[in-house]
Amino acid sequence: MTDVRVRFCPSPTGNPHVGMIRTALFNWAYARHTGGTFVFRIEDTDSARDSEQSYLDLLDAMRWLGLDWDEGPEVGGPYGPYRQSQRLERYDDVADRLRAAGYAYPCYCTPAELAQRREAALAAGRTPGYDGQCRELTADQRASFEAEGRSPALRFRMPGTDFTWDDLVRGEMHVGADHVPDYVLVRGNGEPLYTLVNPVDDALMDITHVLRGEDLLSSTPRQLALYDALRAVGVTERPTPAFGHLPYVMGEGNRKLSKRDPESSLNMYRESGYLPEGLTNYLALLGWSIGDDREFFGKDEMAQHFEVSRVNPNPARFDLKKCRAINGDWIRFLPADEIGRRLVPYLAAAGLVADPPTEDQQRIIDDVMPLIHERMDTLDQAAPMIGFLFVPDDRLVIDPVDAAKILTDGSVEVLTTARDVLAALTDWTTPEIERALRTALVEGLGLKPKLAFGPVRLAVTGRRISPPLFESLELLGRESSLARIDACARG
Ligand code: GLU
Ligand code: ZN
């Protein structure tokens, strides 16, 4: 173990989204690459927005993705607790120390007053932002505000210096002092804000590297200043962590991918049958590359090669087609029996099999896997392709749109001819089935293969597109195949 300590610290609001998971993945990879510690911390101090369900979903998402954490919820660790809602007295203590030492001061301004002064600043062409009104209040002035019943917020006193840091991703960064006004650490009602709790926990948890989204860039100078104050009041003796800001992820139309975009929801990927391997592989490419133009790699391989200096600061474009294609590559890469196992929940959700499947259902899954393994990009494509193998003959639904495309006046002749030669077969095997149908339909009736086999396929699978036909007939068995062809011929 090295002393590298990184953290993933989401707020449990709403559903996990891809931007958040990219951040988790990059931190995880950095910890694994350096032999450091991956800390998972829950930033749940906003009681109005946080929910327990969201918290449980986050844990579940991390487990599904295979992003194991060394310290955090359920795992514990020497810096716990790892849910901020359980650390409130620590923040109170730090706030008291900052106030006592003059690094923070009570601010009595009401939201309405702040808004009014902001308007005035804008109108006068001055930079809006807190104007320092409560910085130097006398004891008397404070007392009279208190007497009015105002409960003050706690505001951090910025040091008035410019900021420079060497961003791990973006290189040297400068922010002028006038861009970072004094900011609120604790609300008037006593609720500590992200501005306080996030850097305080980074300090108390000895975090060495902060890798997070570019949307948080503007909080970095504030945190640099706060860190100095935290050292001054004895909260930590450690150096300020190094910061690296991961590039924005752009969606359709070159605007930032938003939490509300459907392709940003992790649940969408899980429901439509992405593999965690495929999704993490794709998300790794959002701002990082393994170096040799390779786009297919596992997360352990990512960890092995992960250098923050190779993160590209330019916005990354989210391409759902590519994400899907990489997922398809992963489905083909993993062994058929493994994919067969992962298909079960999707087949069960479609009402085709029990979970776990019965012995008969398992046998069908094992037999059909070689036929569909190469044909899926997502696991949810399996149920419509192979559903015909699991339904009773009289419950097979013939897709009406497909039927309109496939069935012609000649179809009845095709079907009855097929039925007769299949009924006469002694060996019900793929090569025999193929030979019999080719001889009877292509040679005998003089049909092009598409016209010859389309109606048979529709009759037995209910669809225009299916796994390979002769193999499908073999798997379905003679009795069912003949019954379905008969039924379709009768209309
Ligand atoms: N809880 C913050 C968020 O989810 C964490 C930000 C950070 O990494 O500093 O945006
Ligand atoms: Zn004020």
Side-chain angles (χ1 to χ4, degrees), residues 107-109 114 117 130 133-134 155:
C107 166
Y108 294 90
C109 305
L114 291 170
R117 271 147 48 205
Y130 188 70
Q133 180 122 285
C134 302
R155 204 178 267 282

Side-chain angles (χ1 to χ4, degrees), residues 7-13 17 20 23 27 41-44 84 194 198-199 202 210-213 215-216 219 223 243 245 259:
R7 73 337 185 243
F8 170 56
C9 52
S11 302
T13 59
H17 58 92
M20 182 182 225
T23 299
N27 278 284
R41 179 173 81 220
I42 304 292
E43 302 211 319
D44 56 348
Q84 290 182 325
Y194 163 79
N198 173 279
D202 286 349
V210 171
L211 289 181
R212 59 183 179 187
D215 52 321
L216 291 155
S219 61
Q223 297 187 354
F243 288 87
H245 292 90
K259 284 182 210 176

Side-chain angles (χ1 to χ4, degrees), residues 272-286:
S272 55
Y274 280 73
L275 307 182
E277 290 90 341
L279 191 60
T280 49
N281 185 164
Y282 180 68
L283 295 181
L285 301 174
L286 295 177

Side-chain angles (χ1 to χ4, degrees), residues 159 238 268:
R238 298 265 179 166
M268 187 283 277

Side-chain angles (χ1 to χ4, degrees), residues 314-334:
N314 297 316
R317 205 175 82 76
F318 191 88
D319 180 349
L320 191 55
K321 276 208 196 88
K322 186 160 165 185
C323 182
R324 212 182 152 80
I326 285 181
N327 197 64
D329 290 343
W330 270 99
I331 290 180
R332 287 179 282 282
F333 175 77
L334 292 176

Side-chain angles (χ1 to χ4, degrees), residues 95-296:
D96 288 345
R97 290 202 242 171
L98 290 170
R99 186 189 297 113
Y103 288 99
Y105 57 89
C107 166
Y108 294 90
C109 305
T110 64
E113 289 165 350
L114 291 170
Q116 198 186 13
R117 271 147 48 205
R118 194 188 137 80
E119 292 297 314
L122 280 170
R126 282 179 282 124
T127 335
Y130 188 70
D131 51 12
Q133 180 122 285
C134 302
R135 266 191 157 217
E136 312 298 344
L137 295 180
T138 63
D140 281 353
Q141 286 169 312
R142 285 183 188 168
S144 81
F145 278 132
E146 305 270 348
E148 282 176 34
R150 298 190 186 213
S151 39
L154 183 67
R155 204 178 267 282
F156 187 72
R157 188 189 301 275
M158 287 298 284
T161 50
D162 292 349
F163 292 92
T164 300
W165 77 94
D166 194 11
D167 195 280
L168 297 167
V169 174
R170 312 182 65 79
E172 186 145 304
M173 303 289 293
H174 300 278
V175 179
D178 52 341
H179 284 93
V180 205
D182 294 353
Y183 61 94
V184 174
L185 298 171
V186 183
R187 284 208 181 96
N189 64 8
E191 220 172 65
L193 296 180
Y194 163 79
T195 50
L196 177 70
V197 298
N198 173 279
V200 164
D201 278 345
D202 286 349
L204 292 176
M205 295 182 180
D206 290 344
I207 297 303
T208 57
H209 296 75
V210 171
L211 289 181
R212 59 183 179 187
E214 190 175 333
D215 52 321
L216 291 155
L217 198 55
S218 63
S219 61
T220 302
R222 296 170 168 185
Q223 297 187 354
L224 294 174
L226 180 56
Y227 245 90
D228 289 339
L230 292 178
R231 265 191 302 271
V233 300
V235 172
T236 181
E237 292 173 0
R238 298 265 179 166
T240 305
F243 288 87
H245 292 90
L246 308 174
Y248 282 123
V249 178
M250 311 303 281
E252 290 296 316
N254 225 32
R255 45 171 193 79
K256 267 193 304 173
L257 193 63
S258 127
K259 284 182 210 176
R260 277 164 294 279
D261 291 323
E263 67 268 37
S264 110
S265 147
L266 178 69
N267 292 342
M268 187 283 277
Y269 295 92
R270 291 181 72 170
E271 278 157 23
S272 55
Y274 280 73
L275 307 182
E277 290 90 341
L279 191 60
T280 49
N281 185 164
Y282 180 68
L283 295 181
L285 301 174
L286 295 177
W288 184 74
S289 67
I290 199 156
D292 47 10
D293 277 350
R294 220 150 38 96
E295 295 196 319
F296 183 80

Side-chain angles (χ1 to χ4, degrees), residues 70-91:
D70 305 309
E71 291 177 23
E74 295 186 353
V75 184
Y79 295 83
Y82 294 89
R83 294 184 73 170
Q84 290 182 325
S85 55
Q86 297 166 0
R87 301 172 59 81
L88 296 176
E89 70 287 3
R90 288 174 176 75
Y91 311 126

